[in-house]
Amino acid sequence: FSEQFGQCKGIDRPTLCNTQAPSKGANVVQMEKIYNDFRTISDCGEDSIEGDHPLSNELTLPKKQNDVERTNMVYGSIVTTTSEEKKSDTTLINVIYGLLMHKMSILVFWLAIVIICSIGILSSSNDSVSSDEAHQMYNRLGEIMPIKTYRDDILSTAHSLCDAFANKAPLNEVLDQFSTSDEVFCLEHGLQRLAPFLGRIFVGQEGVKQYFTIISDLLSYDDMKFSDYIVDVDASTVSVRGEATFLWKSTGNSWEEVFTYRLRFDDEAKVLAYEVWADSGAAFLASKGLLHDEE
């Protein structure tokens, strides 16, 4: 009866009153009828199922049992929670709590970093630093943390371009050092009437290519070398001193020359502006074959 009734009705406290004991083959309808006839245990009293009661042959309960125990015995199961289950629940709670505290500690750490950096930026913006002090700080930082900077990039490109000239590299290797911007240009300062490559601004990739093509058609050179590289990061420029022996091909006149390049760079450290100051008078005389007559 206990098993059948418990399976039919999951009630914590079924009421046990006077009724006929169900047969072993009692069905759900019979079980529900018995339940509906029951009211409360308190209505029946502790001695309700004793002696000549019809249920006494089916179920015997201790006389002094409390209501909850009596009810659980009728159902055939006593609901208990083992110490192992409690321990397992406590362990799970501790793990979850530990993970939450770990995440919170990481969040607090990064929040503190952001606050400290913000305070540093605001403080530095309020302090005026002279140009000399800024350069000294920059140099000290470079000594402590030798990282590659924009200054290093443009200086490296300047060296690559000058090395390409000194080694008489192919034109495409020279052009690789120039920006792909439409604003790129070459300018060799001087009067236009003195030489075809003087006083003209050669703009764009094709203009740069045209400038160097004219130079190579008219002139040749030997012993080219460079020195005294000067970098201006604020202006994105590198100035360099060069020297070489030039020859005007058509006349065979040659001369030794000292010249200066001023190279301006784009954001990618490529040459955006190529300017030259050279001995335009010697180039003019050599083009006329008069250079040796003057000597």
Side-chain angles (χ1 to χ4, degrees), residues 99-229:
L99 289 174
L100 290 175
M101 291 302 295
H102 178 67
K103 296 291 186 183
M104 287 295 293
S105 64
I106 293 177
L107 180 61
V108 170
F109 171 78
W110 284 112
L111 183 60
I113 293 295
V114 170
I115 292 174
I116 291 171
C117 292
S118 300
I119 293 174
I121 292 172
L122 291 175
S123 299
S124 62
S125 63
N126 294 329
D127 297 334
S128 59
V129 180
S130 66
S131 178
D132 292 338
E133 290 175 342
H135 282 296
Q136 289 177 3
M137 293 171 60
Y138 177 83
N139 292 333
R140 279 196 224 105
L141 181 61
E143 293 174 359
I144 298 172
M145 301 173 58
I147 58 176
K148 192 172 184 181
T149 62
Y150 180 68
R151 180 186 186 281
D152 299 323
D153 291 338
I154 62 178
L155 181 58
S156 176
T157 302
H159 275 287
S160 297
L161 180 62
C162 293
D163 290 344
F165 288 145
N167 297 326
K168 299 182 179 180
L171 180 58
N172 60 343
E173 188 173 327
V174 173
L175 295 177
D176 286 342
Q177 308 306 321
F178 282 80
S179 173
T180 57
S181 170
D182 294 334
E183 298 178 359
V184 65
F185 71 89
C186 292
L187 171 61
E188 185 163 344
H189 295 271
L191 292 175
Q192 290 188 18
R193 64 175 181 266
L194 298 181
F197 51 81
L198 291 175
R200 295 172 55 189
I201 301 177
F202 297 84
V203 182
Q205 285 285 310
E206 289 301 318
V208 173
K209 186 176 180 180
Q210 183 185 6
Y211 169 79
F212 287 112
T213 300
I214 293 173
I215 293 289
S216 62
D217 288 344
L218 298 176
L219 303 175
S220 65
Y221 58 88
D222 292 305
D223 302 325
M224 183 174 285
K225 51 190 176 183
F226 296 89
S227 61
D228 301 335
Y229 290 84

Side-chain angles (χ1 to χ4, degrees), residues 7-18:
Q7 292 171 1
C8 293
K9 291 288 183 178
I11 307 302
D12 290 338
R13 297 186 58 183
T15 306
L16 301 177
C17 294
N18 295 331

